[in-house]
Amino acid sequence: MKFQSINFTCDSCGAPFRYSPKTASLHCEFCFSTEVIAYSDETINEYDFKSALRFLEQNESQEINKDIKCNKCAASFQLNPYSISSNCPYCDTPAITDFVKEITPKSLLPFELTHEQARERFKQWIGSLWFAPNKLKDFVYGDEKLQGYYLPHWTYDTDTETNYRGQRGVIYYVMVDRTVIVDGRQRRVRQREARINWTPIQGRVQNSFDDITIGASKTISLSILNSLTPWHTQKLIPFNERYLSGFEAEEYTIGLDNAFEYAKVKMDKIIENDIRMDIGGDQQRIDDIQTSYNNITYKNALFPIWTAQFKWKEKEYNYAINAQTGKIAGERPYSVFKITILVVFVLLGLGTAFYVSENSQYIQDEFFSNPPYTKTQY
C-alpha cells in the first residue's frame, strides 16, 4: 500500500534536516544550519485502560507493508508494517510515515545521548565486564553499526489492593548435644542450634504505582529492553515528528493487554516485598496472594535507544543503550578460564572453612592443653 512520507528540509540549502541530540534541534549536515523545535505546553495525558481494551476489541489493525516514495530522489522502497520513521536506502533522506495502529504515541523522550557519546559508553561498558575475555575490548568491532531507534513503550499507573496469607518466623536458640568425628574418634560437643517458631498471619497491603514502563517492541529482546530502566518519564514531551527525523521509529507490536501482564510481574515483586515487611519477624512465608488492580491508566510513548551488535569469535552479541540516561544492557561473552579459576578458589575456600568448622573444638582443646608459651622463670 502506498504511503505518503514527510521530511524536513533546510531553508538555506534544501538538504534534509536531522534531529541533533547535541543541540536539541533540527540540524543540517551540509550548511550546519539549525532550526529550533517549537516548545509545546500540551498536557501529557493518561488514558483509561479498560476503555482502550474495549476500543481495541472493535478495531483490529491489519499488517500492511508500506510502499514509500522518497521526496528527495523519487526512489521507491518498502518499510515494515509498523515502521513510522526511517531513511531512504538510496539517498539516506529521512522519511516519516503514517501510523497504522489504533493507539498512537502521544508523547516521547527525545535523544539526549549523541552517537559519539553512545560509542564511548559502549567502550566503557566492555571494559567493565566481569569475567570477560582479556582481549575482548581490543578485539570488539561492529559498533560502527550503532543505530538510533525510537521504540514504543507502554507506561501504566494503577492502585493495587492485596490480601495475603502467610507465616511469621521468629528465630530462637536451644543447646543440643552432638557427636562429631575428630581424627577418627567420636567426641560429644554441646552446640547452640537455631530454630524457628512459625505463626500463621494474614493481612492486606495497598500500593499506588506510577509509570511502570514496559517495552512494546520486538526489535530488541524484551529482557534487554526492560533492563534499560529507569526512564525519566517526567521529561516526556508531546509527540512531534521533528524529533524522529534521521532516526528509526516504530509503533507497538506488543499489545496493551499483553504488556500489562509484564507490568504485573514488575509490580508483584514490589508487592511481595511489602507483604514481607508487613508480616515482620525474622523470616516470612507467603502462602497466598490475591491482588486487585484499580484505576488503571496508560500512556503510549516513544523512548530513545541506541542499539547494535558486536562480534566475538564468530558469534554476534546484541546490546542497547538508554539514550536518555546512558544505561547499557545486552548480551556478552564470558571467559571459561576465568570462571573455572573462580570456581576452584571458591571450592578451596569452602573446603577450608568446613575443615576448620568440623575441627574447631579439637583445635581449641589442643591449644589450651599445649599452649604455645612457657612461664617465665625468675
Side-chain angles (χ1 to χ4, degrees), residues 69-311:
K69 184 176 181 179
C70 178
N71 292 332
K72 185 72 175 178
C73 69
S76 295
F77 58 96
Q78 194 173 79
L79 295 180
N80 71 57
Y82 304 125
S83 178
I84 53 176
S85 179
S86 188
N87 295 296
C88 172
Y90 302 100
C91 67
D92 201 38
T93 297
I96 302 168
T97 71
D98 297 327
F99 298 100
V100 297
K101 304 293 282 187
E102 302 83 359
I103 298 177
T104 59
K106 298 295 189 296
S107 58
L108 59 79
L109 292 172
F111 272 78
E112 295 186 26
L113 211 66
T114 66
H115 187 276
E116 293 74 19
Q117 290 171 328
R119 286 169 63 97
E120 187 59 34
R121 285 290 297 116
F122 170 70
K123 292 176 182 177
Q124 293 172 3
W125 179 67
I126 285 292
S128 67
L129 294 178
W130 283 58
F131 305 118
N134 287 332
K135 295 183 179 179
L136 176 63
K137 60 183 178 182
D138 298 325
F139 187 80
V140 163
Y141 62 94
D143 58 327
E144 68 275 7
K145 300 176 184 176
L146 199 65
Q147 178 65 55
Y149 274 90
Y150 279 103
L151 291 183
H153 283 67
W154 300 106
T155 77
Y156 298 96
D157 292 2
T158 183
D159 299 321
T160 62
E161 186 172 274
T162 304
N163 295 307
Y164 70 85
R165 289 187 298 104
Q167 300 176 60
R168 178 192 294 127
V170 177
I171 297 175
Y172 66 97
Y173 295 90
V174 297
M175 298 302 295
V176 297
D177 293 326
R178 292 191 179 279
T179 301
V180 298
I181 305 298
V182 179
D183 290 343
R185 294 180 298 173
Q186 290 187 346
R187 283 177 175 269
R188 294 289 293 175
V189 297
R190 193 161 180 79
Q191 296 180 340
R192 193 171 77 146
E193 181 178 86
R195 295 182 181 177
I196 303 176
N197 181 38
W198 292 102
T199 304
I201 190 170
Q202 60 183 5
R204 175 183 299 171
V205 296
Q206 295 176 316
N207 296 81
S208 183
F209 292 97
D210 178 56
D211 281 356
I212 299 295
T213 59
I214 299 296
S217 170
K218 297 179 181 178
T219 296
I220 301 175
S221 74
L222 199 58
S223 61
I224 293 178
L225 201 56
N226 288 335
S227 295
L228 295 177
T229 56
W231 295 94
H232 301 321
T233 53
Q234 70 275 12
K235 293 185 176 181
L236 280 168
I237 62 173
F239 178 82
N240 186 326
E241 293 94 341
R242 286 170 171 78
Y243 291 98
L244 309 187
S245 186
F247 292 97
E248 302 281 341
E250 297 179 2
E251 295 184 83
Y252 66 88
T253 50
I254 297 177
L256 179 66
D257 52 348
N258 290 334
F260 187 65
E261 295 303 313
Y262 291 112
K264 284 182 180 179
V265 174
K266 283 189 174 184
M267 291 184 283
D268 284 349
K269 294 178 181 179
I270 297 172
I271 292 171
E272 182 178 324
N273 184 63
D274 288 348
I275 290 174
R276 293 188 181 279
M277 292 180 64
D278 197 57
I279 290 175
D282 300 308
Q283 293 188 20
Q284 303 82 33
R285 288 175 178 169
I286 301 175
D287 301 321
D288 183 62
I289 295 177
Q290 298 294 330
T291 300
S292 60
Y293 301 88
N294 308 302
N295 305 317
I296 309 171
T297 59
Y298 75 92
K299 294 190 296 291
N300 180 228
L302 298 177
F303 291 175
I305 292 166
W306 290 106
T307 182
Q309 304 82 36
F310 66 89
K311 200 169 185 180

